[in-house]
Amino acid sequence: MLKNKQKKRQDDNYRQKQDPQKPEDSPILRDYQENISHLKEEVGNSSDVKVREFKIGAHKGALVYVDGLANMISVADYILETLMEAEVPDETIDIFQFMLDKTMALGSVETITNWNQVFDTVFSGDTVIFLQGYNKAISGETKGWEKRAVSEPSTQLSIRGPKDAFTETLRTNTALIRRRIKSPNLRVDAMKIGIVSQTDIAIMYIKGIANEKIVGEVKERLERINIDSIQGSGYIEQLIEDQSWTTFPTTYHSERPDVVTSHLLEGRVAIVVDGTPFTVTVPALFIQFFQAPDDYYSRFDISTGIRMLRILSFLIAVIGPSVYIAATTFHQEMIPTTMAIAIASQRENVPFPAFVEALIMEVTFEILREAGLRLPRAVGQAVSIVGALVIGQAAVQAGFVSPVMVIVVSITAIANFSTPVFAMAIAARLIRFVLMGLATMLGFYGIMLGLMFMTIHLCSLRSFGIPYMMPLAPFNIHNQQDAFVRFPFWAMKNRPMFISKGNMKRSGENQKPGPPKQTENPSQKGEEE
């Protein structure tokens, strides 16, 4: 009997949580004191929820705000002071409408009618005013919590690009984008995600450029999220991506407003999450993760060469140790004789096979890298550098690894750091271990087999329905202007196909620069005469 009662109580609680008609959706009462009592009961008499009763003419009321979220100057100067100094001309007038028109010196004032709106307003930093005899309330915008100032990016550095980065405040981030795109077609759609946290989300796109189907798909996936809390954009990425079982990122995140702005101008959709300095943009393509901000602030030939170097570094980071294992284990005939003798002499006293030797060094380096990230900044760099030098030298002298293996692992690690986006660099680190195992079993055949399956997997991925390897697979000649090679700006006339379905023209005609037209010099003409 007891178990049945407990099970029934749990089922009732579950239905109450799943019921879209929450108790907070009940209407506001006409007695303002009952409203205050209900609010205090719901918040558990929290000390940061402040209530201030007032009287305007013959009417009584109370305002509610959260200390630390509301701007006290706005509450005191633009609400309380105007209420106290207000003179009601006639006691028979609608005092609610009189307050809306005459006493609320704020930028945004709204009327709310249920408790769901009350809690949402108060915990967002705004002020709610209850009036005696009215089953509705006034919401005034008084947001003013502490926030971090706009500073320089810490993860995506640029030499010639802008030095501002997103912060943890949603409105600051949307303003940084709006500052760069002064078009009325820039849309900012708001929603809240998280049953408990009620995190503010902003969906940004340019109407007429973005694909409306992708915009609708983004909104639908966000609306399907049913989770207690959203504490960062990483939560959103994991809940809206097309394929979870892959090491490759299918969404792009950045802390640079100029990068997000360029993505919006290409037809992508940005998801700005309150409380995190990273903005998510979708759809994301594989080649996009090798594009750095400096590519567009430098000449096209220099940017193309550096981008090719990044792609080469990615390949080295993926197959570097596995090539060494395959060559020294199965394919010694491919190594030049002089080099083979040098490697053999160095590995003469090493008790482990090449795979174990590489595994020891790779795992050790990953531990040092992780320790360097978690330690304080002043100590982390010293631990990473000194630890790598000391441990590497000691391992060689002790005979655990050969000097060649230290060189291979070092080059691989440096090549991994060349990848502009950290999410793609992590994917290379994970795939490296898989290819090392295949090289140990099958040599170069195993490496080629692993690369073949990786290519097939990449071609099968989608990002919001867009092929992940586009414009390489499927190949599109018109979209090669910003893939491996970056064309000059005057040659990039169209936006990426399959992403933008609206205005495909990116620039007008006659954009190619050139010398001025030859004109007749009057002084030379006079000398000839």
Side-chain angles (χ1 to χ4, degrees), residues 191-389:
M191 67 170 58
K192 291 183 180 293
I193 301 179
I195 300 173
V196 179
S197 65
Q198 290 290 297
T199 306
D200 292 312
I201 307 291
I203 305 170
M204 303 188 70
Y205 61 95
I206 301 178
K207 187 175 179 60
I209 294 179
N211 190 340
E212 294 295 336
K213 292 184 179 179
I214 296 179
V215 175
E217 181 68 20
V218 170
K219 293 181 179 180
E220 182 181 350
R221 295 190 188 187
L222 290 174
E223 291 172 353
R224 287 204 306 260
I225 296 177
N226 187 13
I227 192 173
D228 284 343
S229 174
I230 296 293
Q231 296 298 321
S233 58
Y235 287 56
I236 298 292
E237 292 184 22
Q238 299 176 59
L239 293 171
I240 66 173
E241 58 187 359
D242 290 53
Q243 178 61 262
S244 298
W245 300 105
T246 179
T247 59
F248 295 96
T250 54
T251 58
Y252 191 94
H253 62 268
S254 175
E255 63 171 344
R256 298 183 60 93
D258 57 332
V259 173
V260 175
T261 299
S262 64
H263 291 175
L264 291 174
L265 292 171
E266 289 181 346
R268 292 181 171 87
V269 181
I271 304 172
V272 188
V273 184
D274 189 28
T276 178
F278 290 93
T279 296
V280 180
T281 57
V282 294
L285 307 179
F286 177 77
I287 194 64
Q288 180 181 345
F289 293 91
F290 299 96
Q291 300 171 354
D294 278 326
D295 289 355
Y296 304 94
Y297 299 115
S298 304
R299 286 178 51 84
F300 68 94
D301 49 355
I302 299 174
S303 301
T304 299
I306 296 176
R307 185 176 297 179
M308 292 288 188
L309 184 63
R310 292 194 204 105
I311 297 173
L312 176 62
S313 300
F314 178 78
L315 293 176
I316 294 174
V318 170
I319 66 174
S322 57
V323 168
Y324 173 79
I325 294 172
T328 57
T329 305
F330 292 97
H331 311 284
Q332 295 89 349
E333 69 279 358
M334 299 183 64
I335 307 175
T337 305
T338 307
M339 183 181 293
I341 294 173
I343 294 175
S345 63
Q346 293 176 7
R347 298 196 70 255
E348 184 178 1
N349 297 324
V350 177
F352 305 111
F355 172 73
V356 177
E357 184 184 2
L359 190 63
I360 291 174
M361 289 302 299
E362 287 289 345
V363 172
T364 303
F365 189 83
E366 293 295 335
I367 293 173
L368 287 171
R369 176 157 40 188
E370 189 67 18
L373 290 174
R374 306 305 166 199
L375 287 172
R377 183 175 300 178
V379 184
Q381 294 181 355
V383 170
S384 300
I385 297 173
V386 175
L389 292 174

Side-chain angles (χ1 to χ4, degrees), residues 248 284-287 290 424 454-463 466-476 480 483-484:
F248 295 96
L285 307 179
F286 177 77
I287 194 64
F290 299 96
M424 184 60 72
M454 185 184 75
T455 304
I456 294 173
H457 175 68
L458 287 171
C459 293
S460 67
L461 292 178
R462 296 289 186 274
S463 179
I466 304 300
Y468 191 58
M469 293 300 291
M470 200 270 297
L472 303 177
F475 183 80
N476 188 291
Q480 301 298 321
F484 290 105

Side-chain angles (χ1 to χ4, degrees), residues 124-143:
S124 296
D126 295 334
T127 301
V128 173
I129 300 176
F130 298 104
L131 279 173
Q132 179 66 28
Y134 290 89
N135 60 348
K136 54 186 178 181
I138 299 175
S139 167
E141 185 177 8
T142 57
K143 297 182 179 69

